[in-house]
Amino acid sequence: MATDSIGNVELTDSTPTDATAFLIEPPRKRTKTTSGRRSRTNFEMLAWLFMRLSGIVLVFLVLGHLIIQLVLDGGVSKISFAFVAGRWASPFWQAWDLLMLWLAMLHGANGMRTVINDYAERPGTRFWLKVLLVAATVFTVLLGTLVIFTFDPNIS
Amino acid sequence: MSTPTIDDTATPHSAALDAAESGEVELITITLRIRRFNPEEHPDAVWVDYQLTVDPKERVLDAINRVKWEQDGTLTYRRSCAHGVCGSDAMRINGKNRLACKTLIKDVTALDKNGVAKPITIEAIKGMTVLKDLVVDMDPFFQAYRDVMPFLITTGNAPTRERIQSEEDVQRFEDTTKCILCAACTSSCPVFWNDGQYFGPAAIVNAHRFIFDSRDEGAEQRLEILNDREGVWRCRTTFNCTDACPRGIEVTKAIQEVKRALITRRY
Ligand code: HEM
Ligand code: SF4
Ligand code: FES
């Protein structure tokens, strides 16, 4: 640090040289190498686009789903095994539910990935939360898909 | 440019504030509540109150200067031009990022129900390493700025005269040329607060300034840099940056234009 003639301190190097000095550091500071490990893919752009496009489709799928399940024909009281069996007898509702399952799960999972990126500070925490997220997503999507395709209305 | 003002209906006006607005000089007593941090003494920051009598038409920087000169010479902060040009005195005043030299005391002074001025809180901008009091380590901020290559990139021989540009072409990026690199936008961004690996609005603004300059030929390179994991896609359009910019730059709009350019250049 240099001092000029009127006693003002000029910061020549903003990193303190005194090793004993305290600092108040933010989480996950940018470093010189941050941009060095650059990803050469369009993954983030495609994820961003997917959130918006799936959102538009989900407006219709989810609202339609909620109205059919919760509002029309006496609301929730009509939902039974027979009601579900009746709807899934039609390929149209099978396709609707399959699309809704995949879009909502991928949309929600990518949204949660954003939340983890925003809030988890330590690299280890970030990694394991994402592992958990992917496992839960894959499990739910596969199980849901399996049920839609193998649903047996005459199960005993 | 939007200068923050006191909402007349929400805040009771005192004679002093009215006088300030009509141009007469009437002094008021204010409290500056400054978040002090001394790296040589204590690992934590503390809030310290300073009382002083000021003309409310003066700027917050004048008040801070008076604290340093008259009450506590150890108070540390950056300032240089004192006229909103150099961008060195961005700080969080009453929880909002502002330049101390462009903020009038009357505009950040509210009265409590007894007619006494509430303390004006002043702290370092967020998301950066605090070195002392209001001084933060700007290196990571400028690193992100350098990473977007904020200089003219061309091929071939330079023309013997200036590079001609139409008025329309200038208007395409004119807004983002106004940046003074004060970091008010980047340090107001909640994504940046938690993850400073994000390039941040200021770096994107300065990339925008060249990406949309018709004389420049490096747009593709800069777009590729901002297509990064820590690039424009981390922006969540909270508009904090646009609110914070002391130059009135439409920061969020600039970021969205870069996103759009990234999508449309391929599809
Ligand atoms: C109904 C229509 C929906 C629309 C139009 C919609 C739209 C969006 C958009 C545009 C984003 C991105 C926000 C940003 O990047 O700043 C988002 C984020 C998100 N969405 Fe949806 N979405 C819908 C339904 C859903 C559903 C059904 C779920 C749950 C399965 C969900 C979970 C999430 C989550 C967790 C995020 C991340 C939150 C965040 O970024 O803070 N969304 N949504
Ligand atoms: S865009 Fe505005 S707020 Fe951000 S660094 Fe430039 S002048 Fe400061
Ligand atoms: S001191 Fe230069 S911008 Fe405020």
Side-chain angles (χ1 to χ4, degrees):
Chain A
M1 281 188 195
T3 309
D4 69 15
S5 54
I6 53 167
N8 283 339
V9 172
E10 188 195 324
L11 285 174
T12 46
D13 178 2
S14 54
T15 319
T17 44
D18 180 359
T20 64
F22 297 111
L23 290 172
I24 301 180
E25 295 206 65
R28 294 177 58 75
K29 188 168 59 174
R30 188 186 187 86
T31 61
K32 275 209 166 67
T33 55
T34 297
S35 71
R37 38 186 194 78
R38 194 168 294 151
S39 48
R40 287 258 162 235
T41 67
N42 285 325
F43 180 76
E44 293 297 337
M45 178 176 81
L46 295 174
W48 187 91
L49 268 176
F50 173 75
M51 286 309 266
R52 274 130 256 268
L53 297 177
S54 63
I56 294 169
V57 181
L58 279 169
V59 169
F60 298 102
L61 292 180
V62 174
L63 281 184
H65 177 79
L66 291 178
I67 290 169
I68 292 165
Q69 299 285 319
L70 308 179
V71 182
L72 299 181
D73 278 337
V76 278
S77 56
K78 59 144 189 272
I79 300 180
S80 63
F81 186 85
F83 179 76
V84 176
R87 287 188 70 209
W88 275 353
S90 148
F92 177 78
W93 293 115
Q94 274 189 327
W96 180 299
D97 282 1
L98 190 69
L99 189 63
M100 189 169 67
L101 170 75
W102 278 76
L103 286 185
M105 281 309 294
L106 293 182
H107 177 102
N110 188 50
M112 288 309 294
R113 184 183 71 97
T114 312
V115 173
I116 294 170
N117 280 340
D118 277 353
Y119 287 103
E121 292 172 12
R122 298 208 339 266
T125 319
R126 295 163 78 87
F127 176 77
W128 287 110
L129 283 176
K130 285 179 193 170
V131 168
L132 206 65
L133 176 68
V134 170
T137 309
V138 169
F139 176 78
T140 313
V141 168
L142 289 187
L143 186 66
T145 309
L146 184 76
V147 170
I148 291 176
F149 279 119
T150 62
F151 178 74
D152 178 7
N154 304 315
I155 200 164
S156 51
Chain B
M1 205 176 308
S2 65
T3 314
T5 52
I6 299 175
D7 183 354
D8 280 12
T9 52
T11 327
H13 253 218
S14 72
L17 285 177
D18 285 338
E21 262 147 30
S22 70
E24 296 166 45
V25 174
E26 190 166 339
L27 302 182
I28 62 168
T29 301
I30 58 162
T31 306
L32 292 190
R33 179 165 292 169
I34 304 179
R35 194 154 185 265
R36 303 280 319 258
F37 170 63
N38 185 338
E40 277 148 16
E41 269 172 16
H42 204 274
D44 299 314
V46 285
W47 291 96
V48 181
D49 282 4
Y50 299 92
Q51 262 202 354
L52 62 166
T53 303
V54 294
D55 177 348
K57 292 195 301 297
E58 286 184 307
R59 302 154 313 164
V60 173
L61 181 63
D62 299 315
I64 299 174
N65 280 339
R66 292 230 344 250
V67 169
K68 183 175 178 73
W69 297 335
E70 295 164 16
Q71 301 189 25
D72 187 346
T74 67
L75 179 63
T76 309
Y77 51 95
R78 291 196 180 105
R79 84 277 179 271
S80 182
C81 69
H83 291 84
V85 179
C86 70
S88 55
D89 64 342
M91 47 188 81
R92 239 163 110 80
I93 303 173
N94 281 353
K96 277 189 170 180
N97 282 0
R98 297 177 158 125
L99 292 181
C101 65
K102 274 187 88 170
T103 307
L104 297 188
I105 292 166
K106 73 182 176 71
D107 291 335
V108 289
T109 305
L111 302 177
D112 64 16
K113 56 183 185 297
N114 302 320
V116 181
K118 289 186 202 161
I120 299 169
T121 62
I122 295 174
E123 55 196 303
I125 46 178
K126 275 178 71 162
M128 320 253 201
T129 302
V130 183
L131 300 176
K132 187 177 184 187
D133 293 342
L134 305 179
V135 174
V136 296
D137 180 5
M138 297 282 279
D139 284 355
F141 173 80
F142 287 117
Q143 185 63 50
Y145 172 63
R146 278 191 291 271
D147 286 344
V148 300
M149 305 192 292
F151 39 80
L152 190 76
I153 297 174
T154 57
T155 50
N157 297 329
T160 44
R161 295 176 177 228
E162 72 268 39
R163 298 171 196 272
I164 310 273
Q165 193 167 39
S166 73
E167 178 62 22
E168 204 185 320
D169 285 344
V170 178
Q171 290 310 321
R172 186 68 197 86
F173 65 96
E174 210 269 338
D175 196 39
T176 45
T177 62
K178 298 187 298 193
C179 178
I180 56 173
L181 290 169
C182 66
C185 54
T186 295
S187 64
S188 75
C189 173
V191 174
F192 181 82
W193 290 340
N194 270 314
D195 192 348
Q197 315 238 313
Y198 170 39
F199 272 86
I204 301 171
V205 159
N206 287 281
H208 178 287
R209 183 251 170 274
F210 287 99
I211 289 170
F212 295 98
D213 186 335
S214 59
R215 300 163 296 186
D216 186 87
E217 292 165 36
E220 192 60 27
Q221 277 167 278
R222 293 191 193 87
L223 285 172
E224 199 45 61
I225 290 166
L226 291 176
N227 196 20
D228 181 53
R229 187 146 45 105
E230 314 295 351
V232 285
W233 307 114
R234 296 215 64 179
C235 165
R236 313 277 282 290
T237 38
T238 59
F239 280 90
N240 277 20
C241 49
T242 304
D243 287 345
C245 181
R247 305 284 295 150
I249 297 171
E250 293 180 286
V251 182
T252 312
K253 186 177 171 198
I255 299 173
Q256 295 302 91
E257 285 177 356
V258 173
K259 287 182 192 165
R260 190 179 306 159
L262 266 166
I263 293 172
T264 53
R265 75 184 170 143
R266 292 213 177 94
Y267 305 103

